[in-house]
Amino acid sequence: MPDKDLIEIKLSRIIPSQKWRVIRLITKVGEFPKYIPCVKEASVIQKSRNKMKTKWRIQVDKIPISWIEEDRLALSQNAIYFKAIEGDLEEFRGEWIFQDHPEGTKVTVNVYLKVGIPAIKSFADAYMKKLLTTNFESILNALERRLISVKYASYKSGDKTRIAGFGIVGHLYNFYHFEKCLKMLNPNFKMRSKEFMAQLFHVTPSFKLYDILDFTSKTNEKVNGCFIVSTFIPDMVEKDMWGIFSKVVKACKIAEKNGVGIVTLGGFTSIIAERVGQQIAAQVDVPLTTGNTFTAAMAIDGVVKAAELLNMDIDSAKVTIVGGTGDIGSACARVLVDEVRQLTITGRTKSNLRLLRQELAKKRKAEVIATTDNELAVKDSDIIIAAASVAASILKIDWFKPGSIICDLGYPKNVSYAPTPRRDILIFCGI
Ligand SMILES: NC(=O)c1ccc[n+]([C@@H]2O[C@H](COP(=O)([O-])OP(=O)(O)OC[C@H]3O[C@@H](n4cnc5c(N)ncnc54)[C@H](OP(=O)(O)O)[C@@H]3O)[C@@H](O)[C@H]2O)c1
C-alpha cells in the first residue's frame, strides 16, 4: 500500500562536468555552507569507508530545519543514499543518482519525507515540500556554479583541456527584426499582437539559438562556438534596466555551461552593464569581450580605405564622430585627432564632451569641436563615423554632404535607411 502521507520530491539537472568531479564535490559536505546560501551548517560527525553521519541545518524562507542523517556512498550504483535518524521532520530520506550524459553528468535527487505535525498538517506538508524543493534546487544550482568556477579557474591558470571556443551574445534590433526572425524560422508564422509578443518575449529567459560547429579561422584553426539570444530589444532597456542586465548575465552563464573560452557581448548587451553601474564580469567566470577595440580599429581602417578609394585627402578632411564620447567613438577620436584637419565629436552630455575636447585638443593636430548638435556636425563633414548608442536612428540620409563617407557602426543603426535616390555618398556598416 503506498503511504499517502509520504511527500515526494524529484529533481534532476545536467551538470557540465565529469561524474567523478560531481561526486567528489557532493561528498565534501563540510564545504557546503561556504557556497550554498540556504545551508547554514553541514558537518561530518562520523566517517568510515563508505558511510558518514552528518549534521545539517538549512534555512529557507526564514524557517530553520535541522537533522542528523546517515549517508551511504554506493559507488557501484553511482548513488548516495541518505536517511535522517533524528531532527525536525518525522521522516526524511532519499538518494542522489549520477549518470553519464553527453553534456556532463545527469544528477537526480529523489527525496521522501513526512512532516508529521497534526492540526497544521495540510499546510505544513505543502509548505515543507515547497521549502525543500527550493533547498535542493539551490544545492543543484550551487554545485553547478562551483564546478563551472573551478573549471574556469584552471583554464585561467593554463589548463586548456576542458574549455574552448566562443560564445556570441546578441539581441534583436527591434520589433520588426523579431518578426523577421520568426518568419525566417517559420515562413507561415502569423505575427500576433505587439503587446502580447512584447510581454511574452520579456519574460522569456535568454537561450542558446544554435551551435556554430567547426568555425575555421584565417589561420586554419577549427573551433566551435554558439550563438545565444539575450531576450530583449533596445526599447525595453529604459523600462527594465535591471531585468535586462540579469538576462545578459544569464546569457553569459549559458555560454559558460557550454564551456566556451570567451564570450563576445554584442550590441546593447555590453552597454547595459554601464547603465546599471555593474560589471557583468563580476557575475560570471568566462572571459568577456565587447569587441569595441576591434570595432574602433575596423572603423578607422574602413574610413581610411574609403578615402583612398575616393581620392580624398584624409589629412585635410573634416571628420565627425557621432557618439564621440562613447567607448568606441572616443577610441576613434583619439586616433583620428592626429590624422585629420578638423575633428568634431558629438554626444548628449555636455560635461563628457567638454572633458574629451580638452584631452584631444592637447594633441593639437586637428582643430577639435564638441557639440550636441548632430545635424550641424554631420552637414559640414567629409567623413562621419556614427558610433552613438541609440534605440532608433538619429541621422537622416539627406543631412550628409555630397561626396561624404559614412561609417555607421551603431547597433541599432544610427542612420535611417529610408529608400533614397542618393548615389553621391559612400556609406558602410562598421564590421
Ligand atoms: N558594428 C559592431 O560590430 C559593433 C560592435 C560593438 C558596438 N557596436 C555599436 O556601437 C555603438 C557604440 O557603442 P559603445 O560601446 O561605444 O557605446 P557607449 O560607450 O555607450 O557610447 C555611446 C555614445 O553615444 C552617445 N549618444 C547617445 N545618444 C546620442 C545622441 N542622440 N546623439 C549623439 N550621441 C549620442 C553617448 O553620449 P552620451 O553619453 O552623452 O549620451 C556616447 O557618447 C552601439 O550602437 C553599439 O551597439 C557595434
Side-chain angles (χ1 to χ4, degrees):
M1 273 279 284
D3 184 344
K4 64 179 176 39
D5 287 338
L6 199 65
I7 301 166
E8 287 187 29
I9 299 171
K10 284 184 189 295
L11 296 170
S12 64
R13 170 81 57 98
I14 313 296
I15 294 188
S17 192
Q18 293 130 302
K19 198 165 61 188
W20 67 269
R21 289 184 196 271
V22 182
I23 296 176
R24 188 178 64 175
L25 185 63
I26 217 165
T27 53
K28 290 185 177 169
V29 167
E31 292 181 11
F32 276 26
K34 277 195 234 159
Y35 67 95
I36 309 178
C38 59
V39 179
K40 303 298 173 196
E41 187 186 335
S43 54
V44 178
I45 306 170
Q46 255 176 34
K47 195 172 180 180
S48 65
R49 205 172 61 84
N50 62 348
K51 283 191 179 159
M52 280 199 298
K53 192 186 274 185
T54 49
K55 187 174 177 206
W56 296 82
R57 185 168 58 85
I58 62 166
Q59 187 169 318
V60 189
D61 207 9
K62 295 196 180 147
I63 306 273
I65 312 171
S66 307
W67 70 94
I68 291 178
E69 69 182 38
E70 282 176 346
D71 307 308
R72 184 168 64 84
L73 182 64
L75 275 183
S76 58
Q77 295 160 35
N78 291 312
I80 297 172
Y81 298 95
F82 61 91
K83 184 175 192 310
I85 50 172
E86 60 176 82
D88 289 326
L89 301 171
E90 184 180 296
E91 189 173 334
F92 181 51
R93 61 186 166 83
E95 70 245 351
W96 292 88
I97 297 163
F98 309 93
Q99 291 162 292
D100 288 321
H101 185 276
E103 287 163 28
T105 305
K106 181 175 180 190
V107 181
T108 305
V109 56
N110 298 320
V111 184
Y112 308 93
L113 70 117
K114 271 189 202 172
V115 187
I117 304 176
I120 58 166
K121 181 179 181 314
S122 59
F123 171 78
D125 280 6
Y127 189 59
M128 279 302 140
K129 179 171 183 176
K130 199 177 104 196
L131 290 195
L132 285 156
T133 303
T134 307
N135 170 61
F136 282 100
E137 270 167 356
S138 66
I139 291 178
L140 285 170
N141 284 344
L143 289 171
E144 180 175 271
R145 288 294 327 145
R146 181 88 165 175
L147 286 157
I148 287 174
S149 291
V150 168
K151 200 153 69 166
Y152 277 97
S154 50
Y155 172 64
K156 285 172 189 167
S157 57
D159 174 7
K160 305 279 185 256
T161 53
R162 289 188 293 145
I163 296 281
F166 60 91
I168 302 169
V169 175
H171 61 83
L172 296 155
Y173 302 102
N174 50 36
F175 214 71
Y176 174 66
H177 187 208
F178 184 26
E179 185 175 348
K180 221 168 120 183
C181 291
L182 295 171
K183 288 205 165 131
M184 209 168 72
L185 294 169
N186 175 6
N188 299 322
F189 177 76
K190 200 168 154 288
M191 196 56 174
R192 318 294 156 79
S193 78
K194 193 171 172 182
E195 296 72 25
F196 172 74
M197 291 303 280
Q199 204 47 36
L200 185 61
F201 192 55
H202 187 51
V203 296
T204 304
S206 298
F207 63 94
K208 180 169 87 172
L209 187 61
Y210 53 82
D211 287 304
I212 303 163
L213 300 176
D214 283 343
F215 179 83
T216 310
S217 76
K218 273 191 173 171
T219 54
N220 250 351
E221 309 262 0
K222 279 199 189 322
V223 71
N224 293 337
C226 57
F227 184 80
I228 296 154
V229 180
S230 195
T231 44
F232 70 91
I233 55 176
D235 273 354
M236 296 176 177
V237 170
E238 299 305 330
K239 289 180 206 133
D240 182 16
M241 275 198 275
W242 282 101
I244 307 298
F245 177 73
S246 71
K247 276 172 184 265
V248 176
V249 170
K250 180 79 204 312
C252 295
K253 288 188 173 169
I254 294 171
E256 282 181 335
K257 236 183 135 155
N258 280 263
V260 305
I262 191 158
V263 164
T264 171
L265 297 170
F268 264 71
T269 64
S270 61
I271 293 160
I272 186 70
E274 286 160 32
R275 297 266 172 99
V276 297
Q278 288 280 320
Q279 293 210 332
I280 295 169
Q283 314 255 348
V284 296
D285 294 293
V286 64
L288 303 172
T289 174
T290 58
N292 281 1
T293 310
F294 185 60
T295 305
M298 288 292 102
I300 294 166
D301 198 49
V303 292
V304 169
K305 283 199 177 124
E308 278 168 16
L309 204 70
L310 299 186
N311 288 327
M312 185 190 287
D313 178 17
I314 201 147
D315 236 31
S316 53
K318 289 182 175 179
V319 176
T320 286
I321 302 176
V322 179
T325 52
D327 208 32
I328 298 173
S330 62
C332 294
R334 288 186 178 100
V335 174
L336 290 174
V337 72
D338 278 334
E339 310 293 333
V340 303
R341 179 162 66 90
Q342 187 188 79
L343 180 72
T344 304
I345 49 169
T346 82
R348 290 172 305 180
T349 317
K350 286 186 178 163
S351 54
N352 291 349
L353 283 167
R354 215 169 20 244
L355 276 175
L356 187 62
R357 203 198 80 80
Q358 275 166 11
E359 182 202 314
L360 295 172
K362 282 184 193 147
K363 298 202 170 180
R364 288 180 195 281
K365 157 83 172 121
E367 178 201 355
V368 182
I369 298 167
T371 176
T372 53
D373 190 334
N374 292 321
E375 183 175 355
L376 198 72
V378 156
K379 277 188 161 163
D380 188 37
S381 290
D382 306 304
I383 295 175
I384 296 103
I385 294 180
S389 162
V390 284
S393 50
I394 49 170
L395 307 177
K396 290 197 180 137
I397 205 114
D398 53 8
W399 286 357
F400 305 112
K401 74 176 182 189
S404 57
I405 294 166
I406 304 110
C407 169
D408 183 1
L409 45 85
Y411 178 75
K413 295 287 139 209
N414 284 189
V415 180
S416 56
Y417 292 98
T420 174
R422 288 198 72 167
R423 296 287 174 268
D424 58 344
I425 53 175
L426 173 60
I427 190 157
F428 62 98
C429 297
I431 299 180

